[in-house]
């Protein structure tokens, strides 16, 4: 590892008679890596965020609520405490007819003790399959922002790690060059240890 002094801003771009070709290459590598990191991170984050938001918007348009009927009485019973009815939610089997006329069935969360034939809302996709309730527009924006941020950070890490590996290689090459030059010129300065 090279010895480093106090940090000086833009030191890679300052004129210096001792600056070697490897130093100039490293300056361009650092600039390129940071530019690529910012570009890749923003591009990936924006693309993924838009894709997620578009997918969730498509779900809001395509998914529809339908009325399902319970096939059997739901297990349990509604409990009352202090005159206030607290309804426990349980799973029960229900059947519904999709817009294309096909019949579907599945497990739905319903109030405990609901009678057979009780109408329950079920959300379905265009084929009539049961899905969850679509997210609202504001929830979709938050979800798209979070997923896009994670994707952007993950994509930005790739050029950053690659640039760090390249800089480490350049550092090794620079040290090897200094060792070779020192072994050539060091003995001319006087006695050596070793």
């Amino acid at each position: 590892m090279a010895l480093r002094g106090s940090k000086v801003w833009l030191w890679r771009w300052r004129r210096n008679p001792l600056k070697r070709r490897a130093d100039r290459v490293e300056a361009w590598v650092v600039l390129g890596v940071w530019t690529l990191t910012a570009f890749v991170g923003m591009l990936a984050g924006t693309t993924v965020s838009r894709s997620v938001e578009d997918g969730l918007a498509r779900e809001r348009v395509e998914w529809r609520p339908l009325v399902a009927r319970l096939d059997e009485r739901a297990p349990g019973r509604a409990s009352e405490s202090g005159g206030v009815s607290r309804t426990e939610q349980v799973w029960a089997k229900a059947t519904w007819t999709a817009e294309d006329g096909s019949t579907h069935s599945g497990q739905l969360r319903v109030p405990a003790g609901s009678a057979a034939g009780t109408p329950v809302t079920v959300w379905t996709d265009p084929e009539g399959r049961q899905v969850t309730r679509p997210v609202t527009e504001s929830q979709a924006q938050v979800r798209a922002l979070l997923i896009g941020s994670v994707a952007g950070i993950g994509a930005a890490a790739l050029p950053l790690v690659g640039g760090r590996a390249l800089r480490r290689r350049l550092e090794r090459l620079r040290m090897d060059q200094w060792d070779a030059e020192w072994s050539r010129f060091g003995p001319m300065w006087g006695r050596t240890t070793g």
Side-chain angles (χ1 to χ4, degrees), residues 1-5 7 164 167-168 170-176 178-179:
M1 181 172 167
L3 298 174
R4 298 175 194 247
K7 295 239 178 195
R164 184 68 184 153
R167 284 186 59 209
R168 200 171 289 136
L170 289 171
E171 186 80 18
R172 265 191 249 118
L173 287 173
R174 187 170 37 244
M175 286 300 177
D176 291 344
W178 285 350
D179 285 344

Side-chain angles (χ1 to χ4, degrees), residues 35-47:
T35 303
L36 190 62
T37 297
F39 178 73
V40 167
M42 292 297 288
L43 181 66
T46 303
T47 303

